[in-house]
Amino acid sequence: CVFAVLAGCAGNVAIDTDAVYGVASIQTDNYANETLEYYYYIPSSVIYDAAVSYPLLIAVPGLSGHGENFVSQSMRDFAAENGFAVVAPSFQFDERNWDSQQSYQYPWVWSGDALIDIVEQVELDNGITFSDWYLFGFSAGAQFSLRFCVWQPDLCAACAAHGSGGTVIPEEYVDVAFFVTVGNQDTSRIPKAQAFYNAARYLGIDVIYEEYGVGHQLSYGQIDDSLEFFSGVD
């Protein structure tokens, strides 16, 4: 099967042979992420025009996950159909900084700047400009995504966060649309998802909350519903 990793060898999957994609890296000062890899995918529907800014789907996997494996074919199809590019960082857990809230799940420490550096590198390497970031995260990636959007709302249009392992409470209104989900069997994370939802609702933030019939996992339904949610964000 050609492009087995990207296409998943699924039958009748359309391959965008003119897409630009691959794995690259940046350097950081974090001991566990000195060489931080990321996956990027730019479909042929995105025309390289310096005068145009294109929306960007940022997919952040669960704990120490690899971006290239996290980006599903449905995400690439969505990107091609809607004129998005995709970036997926492969953050590695720096466990010794977890208790002090210095690990990558806290973007204002270092990982958020690392993501910004990644996006700037993809822009520079491909002669393209991105605006309106759409973050999609699972578990540790959901923590990062929620916190990043609260921290840098001017960069972000929307966030789909699934099964966040940490409690994130917005403290002020942000003009970002949120889709927050959790498995109805993921009992330890349900209160964390509800805490974000309730705080966001109180502040007048655009937020949707859904539970799915799974444990701590990411279902196809959550992925598909997230992409539909993104397509409806102004």
Side-chain angles (χ1 to χ4, degrees), residues 27-59:
Q27 302 302 120
T28 82
D29 293 331
N30 179 266
Y31 77 93
N33 294 269
E34 290 181 358
T35 299
L36 173 57
E37 292 187 347
Y38 63 89
Y39 170 77
Y40 61 93
Y41 178 81
I42 306 173
S44 58
S45 59
V46 173
I47 300 170
Y48 298 179
D49 184 344
V52 177
S53 293
Y54 297 93
L56 178 65
L57 172 59
I58 298 173

Side-chain angles (χ1 to χ4, degrees), residues 22-213:
V23 176
S25 65
I26 63 166
Q27 302 302 120
T28 82
D29 293 331
N30 179 266
Y31 77 93
N33 294 269
E34 290 181 358
T35 299
L36 173 57
E37 292 187 347
Y38 63 89
Y39 170 77
Y40 61 93
Y41 178 81
I42 306 173
S44 58
S45 59
V46 173
I47 300 170
Y48 298 179
D49 184 344
V52 177
S53 293
Y54 297 93
L56 178 65
L57 172 59
I58 298 173
V60 190
L63 192 70
S64 295
H66 290 275
E68 61 182 320
N69 297 327
F70 187 61
V71 176
S72 66
Q73 184 61 41
S74 60
M75 292 181 188
R76 286 185 287 272
D77 291 343
F78 170 85
E81 291 167 7
N82 294 278
F84 279 62
V86 182
V87 164
S90 299
F91 291 121
Q92 300 302 295
F93 185 35
D94 47 335
E95 185 173 3
R96 70 188 187 206
N97 287 324
W98 170 251
D99 289 340
S100 63
Q101 299 187 351
Q102 304 288 303
S103 62
Y104 80 81
Q105 291 93 331
Y106 298 89
W108 45 81
V109 180
W110 68 270
S111 57
D113 286 334
L115 177 60
I116 292 170
D117 288 345
I118 286 171
V119 173
E120 289 178 348
Q121 181 165 295
V122 174
E123 289 178 323
L124 181 63
D125 289 348
N126 294 279
I128 193 169
T129 301
F130 299 124
S131 61
D132 295 332
W133 298 8
Y134 293 70
L135 276 76
F136 177 102
F138 170 67
S139 194
Q143 287 189 59
F144 173 90
S145 297
L146 289 171
R147 293 190 179 110
F148 186 92
C149 289
V150 170
W151 175 58
Q152 293 285 356
D154 290 345
L155 291 175
C156 305
C159 175
H162 309 287
S164 175
T167 301
V168 182
I169 304 295
E171 297 181 352
E172 61 183 11
Y173 174 82
V174 293
D175 188 15
V176 179
F178 291 91
F179 179 48
V180 178
T181 85
V182 65
N184 62 11
Q185 302 164 44
D186 195 6
T187 54
S188 67
R189 292 174 175 84
I190 290 174
K192 297 169 183 177
Q194 291 177 342
F196 181 91
Y197 171 74
N198 291 331
R201 280 285 303 273
Y202 177 79
L203 292 167
I205 296 171
D206 183 359
V207 60
I208 297 170
Y209 173 83
E210 294 285 351
E211 293 183 13
Y212 290 75

